[in-house]
Amino acid sequence: MTPDLLAPLDLAFWNMESAEHPMHLGALGVFSAPSPTAGAHAADLLAARAAAVPGLRMRIRDVWPLGFPAAFGGAAREPAPDFDPLDHVTLHAPATDFQAEAGRLMQRPLQRGRPPWEAHVLPGEDGVSFAVLFKFHHALADGLRALTLAAAVLDPMDMPAPRPRPVEPPRGLLPDVRRLPGRVRGAWSDVGRALDIGASVARSTLDVRTSTALTAPSTGTRRTAGVVLDLDDVHRVRKAVGGTVNDVLIAVVAGALRRWLDERGDGSEGVAPRALIPVSRRRSRTAHPQGNRLSGYLMRLPVADPDPLGRLATVRTAMDRNKNAGPNRGAGAVALLADHVPPLGHRLGGPFVSQAARLWFDILVTSVPLPGIGLKLGGNPLTAVYPFAPLARGQSLAVAVSTYRGQVHYGLVADAHAVPDLDRLARALTEEVETLITACEP
């Protein structure tokens, strides 16, 4: 079978990883259970089902095409010849705190050389629940692709059928001259877009003032926390002031950061951290093809504004401006520049890109879509799911959010030494929603 070469962005994620800065996504799902043995049964099911999922059998290895210079080398996905699902599914001892265990497991890099994913089953000491922490390397999957892979090992459900991709005709040794004008125009367009993105990134670094709590030196340790909000409360705010659910959820993050910084003594005055808001360029019906399809928006979070409705208005205006400009230009679209870097550049520049992330943005705030139908594992219903994003070097906090079955789930990942009070920030998210509701009342 011919190896599937990694797309440039996938290759970037693969090469910017280090032992202290693993580049995997995560999701902690909590299931209700009828007995203390349900977790062990779930682990058996996950291992058995994983063996039948082609996407979970793929490893990533370096490739150097014969007869080409090293600059053409990259990495590729290929079936692992010795794949054993038992190497990827681990049943742990009963846990009293799922989040504490998730933090410990999230700081461990995935083992390179074998399919880059893991599933950790955590039985609850209460005997009526268990949790599963899924980890997928970002080079293997973006959010939608990770959802598809995870769904393949849960109980069967109806997923959207992928749209067939158009088949490209075989390429000859010489380019088709009939396509050259379009290619030239496309190349010039790409150059213009790259210049726009570069200029926007340069402007975004001016007059930046953020909290050292968000950009403290990295230690490689991880702590996680989860928050559950009522989606109806979010809709109440949205209907009162306009905008989108996502606008409200981002404003909640801004308000929570303000509370947290003030209460820990850091102060929020003048603080406006740059938040990267990833944007998927993949349609839900094309979630099955491999590879990342990402761009992003960049915005300043109005942490310094004392007015909760003023913070929401600022977020709404910034998001409207980003949407009008589109996800292909602006400082948030740096990921698109990966397409213009040769494989050798990704290989040699990965560590530099990782270190440069702190110059680009201060905090990641991402949304991970989930299906509206109830998910189950071994007949046990999923009651909560907390998405986790990777931390770049020099960044202390990442926020991911999903809506599921009428609830909003925030998943927080932080450097354990830089943010030892992550639980306090989690409580601030709940308090901020209550503040917004009160502010919207006549």
Side-chain angles (χ1 to χ4, degrees):
M1 180 177 179
T2 303
D4 177 24
L5 290 176
L6 294 188
L9 185 55
D10 304 340
L11 189 59
F13 286 133
W14 186 246
N15 285 302
M16 68 188 296
E17 180 176 61
S18 67
E20 296 78 21
H21 299 88
M23 292 302 299
H24 52 253
L25 311 169
L28 180 68
V30 180
F31 298 81
S32 61
S35 72
T37 62
H41 178 57
D44 291 340
L45 281 177
L46 290 174
R49 292 171 177 174
V53 181
L56 296 180
R57 303 173 64 93
M58 306 298 286
R59 68 176 181 178
I60 296 175
R61 70 173 181 88
D62 293 335
V63 293
W64 301 93
L66 184 64
F68 285 84
F72 288 88
R77 301 179 190 86
E78 65 177 11
D82 54 351
F83 174 71
D84 185 349
L86 295 179
D87 292 336
H88 299 265
V89 180
T90 304
L91 176 64
H92 294 261
T96 57
D97 185 340
F98 293 145
Q99 291 289 350
E101 290 298 311
R104 179 179 62 84
L105 294 168
M106 282 294 291
Q107 73 186 35
R108 263 181 14 193
L110 293 166
Q111 184 172 327
R112 296 168 85 96
R114 69 183 191 184
W117 68 274
E118 293 175 351
H120 297 270
V121 181
L122 309 170
E125 280 195 344
D126 56 13
V128 296
S129 67
F130 67 89
V132 179
L133 175 67
F134 289 102
K135 294 167 57 178
F136 297 98
H137 199 285
H138 219 327
L140 179 70
D142 57 15
L144 278 173
R145 174 65 178 167
L147 169 63
T148 303
L149 292 173
V153 293
L154 298 179
D155 291 357
M157 65 176 188
D158 294 329
M159 290 290 290
R163 291 179 179 175
R165 287 183 289 179
V167 178
E168 290 286 339
R171 295 182 179 181
L173 296 177
L174 297 176
D176 186 342
V177 295
R178 293 171 297 179
R179 297 186 177 184
L180 286 178
R183 290 179 178 177
V184 171
R185 287 194 299 270
W188 276 111
S189 176
D190 288 344
V191 169
R193 182 174 63 184
L195 291 174
D196 281 352
I197 293 173
S200 297
V201 170
R203 288 194 298 269
S204 73
T205 62
L206 300 176
D207 300 321
V208 172
R209 186 175 182 186
T210 188
S211 169
T212 55
L214 300 179
T215 56
S218 303
T219 66
T221 58
R222 294 292 181 268
R223 185 185 302 272
T224 68
V227 179
V228 180
L229 306 178
D230 192 329
L231 185 57
D232 286 342
D233 289 340
V234 177
H235 279 299
R236 286 172 62 185
V237 176
R238 179 191 62 79
K239 291 177 181 177
V241 300
T244 68
V245 166
N246 200 44
D247 294 343
V248 178
L249 297 178
I250 295 172
V252 166
V253 173
L257 287 173
R258 176 183 174 82
R259 292 171 179 271
W260 176 63
L261 292 174
D262 287 342
E263 291 181 9
R264 76 196 316 252
D266 289 353
S268 60
E269 183 178 356
V271 173
R274 297 160 300 170
L276 176 63
I277 317 293
V279 177
S280 176
R281 300 168 64 234
R282 181 200 303 276
R283 296 180 180 178
S284 60
R285 290 184 177 272
T286 59
H288 294 265
Q290 300 179 16
N292 283 271
R293 302 288 187 272
L294 292 174
S295 182
Y297 298 140
L298 196 70
M299 64 173 294
R300 297 286 184 91
L301 291 180
V303 172
D305 190 341
D307 177 15
L309 294 183
R311 291 193 292 268
L312 179 52
T314 299
V315 168
R316 180 182 175 186
T317 299
M319 288 301 290
D320 285 346
R321 186 185 306 116
N322 278 323
K323 292 172 186 175
N324 289 335
N328 296 327
R329 293 181 183 271
V334 166
L336 300 182
L337 298 183
D339 292 339
H340 305 286
V341 178
L344 184 61
H346 287 296
R347 186 183 300 276
L348 300 179
F352 171 77
V353 172
S354 176
Q355 295 181 32
R358 65 183 303 173
L359 302 177
W360 174 26
F361 64 97
D362 305 307
I363 183 173
L364 179 73
V365 183
T366 184
S367 178
V368 182
L370 290 176
I373 61 177
L375 301 173
K376 295 182 180 180
L377 177 57
N380 305 297
L382 177 68
T383 59
V385 57
Y386 304 97
F388 299 134
L391 280 182
R393 185 183 298 272
Q395 294 174 335
S396 305
L397 177 67
V399 180
V401 59
S402 288
T403 56
Y404 175 69
R405 307 288 284 175
Q407 294 181 318
V408 176
H409 295 84
Y410 280 95
L412 310 179
V413 177
D415 185 285
H417 287 271
V419 188
D421 53 347
L422 187 63
D423 290 342
R424 181 66 196 93
L425 176 59
R427 290 194 298 272
L429 289 167
T430 301
E431 294 165 356
E432 181 63 16
V433 172
E434 295 170 353
T435 298
L436 281 169
I437 292 174
T438 300
C440 291
E441 292 176 350

